[in-house]
Amino acid sequence: MFKACRTCGALVKRDAEVCPVCGGTSFSDDWDGIVIILDPKESYVARILGREKAYIYAIRVGGYTA
Ligand SMILES: [Zn+2]
């Protein structure tokens, strides 16, 4: 099970304390959807979502919507 970073939406393991993508420390259990960005430079989805780092992201986190 994962929790999602409130800042960038990255999905991290529940025991993680710092987001590996943005360094944020605020996480939410309220998230929906998963998008996997493998190659941000080539990915249409990455451009739409403004993701610049290859990772797994939630599509929606709390009140935050990608
Ligand atoms: Zn983050």
Side-chain angles (χ1 to χ4, degrees):
M1 193 59 191
F2 295 100
K3 59 186 178 181
C5 173
R6 288 185 193 273
T7 303
C8 70
L11 289 173
V12 301
K13 290 181 180 174
R14 297 200 64 85
D15 58 357
E17 295 182 356
V18 177
C19 174
V21 175
C22 72
T25 55
S26 179
F27 299 93
S28 174
D29 289 322
D30 178 23
W31 58 270
D32 281 314
I34 293 176
V35 58
I36 301 174
I37 307 282
L38 296 176
D39 187 345
K41 288 188 174 60
E42 300 296 325
S43 170
Y44 182 65
V45 176
R47 258 180 282 151
I48 289 178
L49 298 179
R51 303 294 195 249
E52 296 177 349
K53 188 166 180 173
Y55 207 72
I56 304 170
Y57 298 93
I59 292 173
R60 186 190 65 79
V61 181
Y64 160 96
T65 304

